[in-house]
Amino acid sequence: MRLLLDLGNTRLKWAVVNAGDWLARGAVAWEEDVPAALAQAWREQAKPQWVLGASVVDAAREAQIERIVAEVFAQPVEWVRTPAEAYGVRIAYAEPQRLGVDRFLAMVAAHAAGTSPCVLAGIGTALTLDALTADGRHLGGLIAPGPLLMQQSLFGATARIKPYRPGAIREIADNTADAVVSGCWQAIAALIERFAANVARQSSRSPRLLLDGGDAEALLPLLGIPAELAPDSVLRGLNVYATAHPSQPSP
């Protein structure tokens, strides 16, 4: 049995997997009492044989999670880092370790599921875009602020754009609150569409557009091209890694 950990910028997601069965899942935001939330969520779980983690956060938060896992399960955490090539995926970066492991694992999950060629869009604190060919070659990608971070940046850099209420997403807005929200979300949608179109021109097969991240579901109806949700891609990529990893502990 494995405990899989996805340490993202906004929250930690986890799953307990045994022989291909997903037994339990959960998430906790970093702004919450993380030790208490995880101790409560995990107290009914059997001790995992292997704890595997992927992280895009700082070393201090990784150390915090290591302490919690040690206290609850008396197990270490093995952190996955981005390699140049693994599990059918070949990274385009000259320095593969500079590619976020979340992006690598999302590509591993997509390739293992047979959904490549594809464009993977992670919509969260940041927007990440990656292109993956049918044979697992990573063409590269883009990074931009996510829709909420884009709004916060706009508020912090301007004196008069201070919405007095939460805005709604509209095609054309007639007030500042709606204009800010709509502009940021539509900018994200337009960038995804442009990236997908550029990738499609380089591909002999039309790539699928896969969305993951906390804001993926809200973005889906704003896109003018076919797209589908691919939730928990990092956890699914971790499970592919765990299944194929030669050092996996015996069940």
Side-chain angles (χ1 to χ4, degrees), residues 16-197:
V16 176
V17 184
N18 185 41
D21 295 325
W22 295 71
L23 305 180
R25 303 176 193 232
V28 56
W30 293 115
E31 61 190 21
E32 299 178 47
D33 184 343
V34 174
L38 291 180
Q40 181 177 5
W42 290 345
R43 65 185 178 187
E44 301 298 329
Q45 302 297 326
K47 180 179 178 178
Q49 296 167 305
W50 197 13
V51 182
L52 197 60
S55 170
V56 297
V57 300
D58 54 69
R61 287 192 209 179
E62 290 182 4
Q64 179 190 42
I65 298 306
E66 289 175 344
R67 288 193 297 270
I68 298 169
V69 171
E71 290 170 3
V72 177
F73 296 122
Q75 288 282 42
V77 179
E78 179 179 336
W79 299 105
V80 176
R81 307 301 182 188
T82 304
E85 180 176 352
Y87 314 109
V89 174
R90 301 184 302 282
I91 300 303
Y93 279 27
E95 299 178 89
Q97 69 275 11
R98 295 189 178 277
L99 179 82
V101 69
D102 55 337
R103 296 167 64 190
F104 164 68
L105 289 169
M107 288 187 279
V108 167
H111 190 61
T115 53
S116 52
C118 59
V119 166
L120 301 100
I123 305 102
T125 303
L127 167 69
T128 61
L129 293 167
D130 287 288
L132 187 67
T133 66
D135 63 357
R137 184 165 54 94
H138 175 222
L139 299 177
L142 298 175
I143 302 175
L148 299 183
L149 181 58
M150 193 179 294
Q151 293 172 56
Q152 294 167 6
S153 299
L154 184 60
F155 299 153
T158 56
R160 294 184 178 272
I161 301 181
K162 305 293 182 186
Y164 56 90
R165 61 169 177 78
I169 302 174
R170 306 187 185 282
E171 288 298 322
I172 301 178
D174 59 6
N175 62 81
T176 298
D178 291 352
V180 169
V181 171
S182 302
C184 292
W185 281 89
Q186 289 190 42
I188 295 296
L191 179 56
I192 293 173
E193 291 174 2
R194 178 183 174 87
F195 183 81

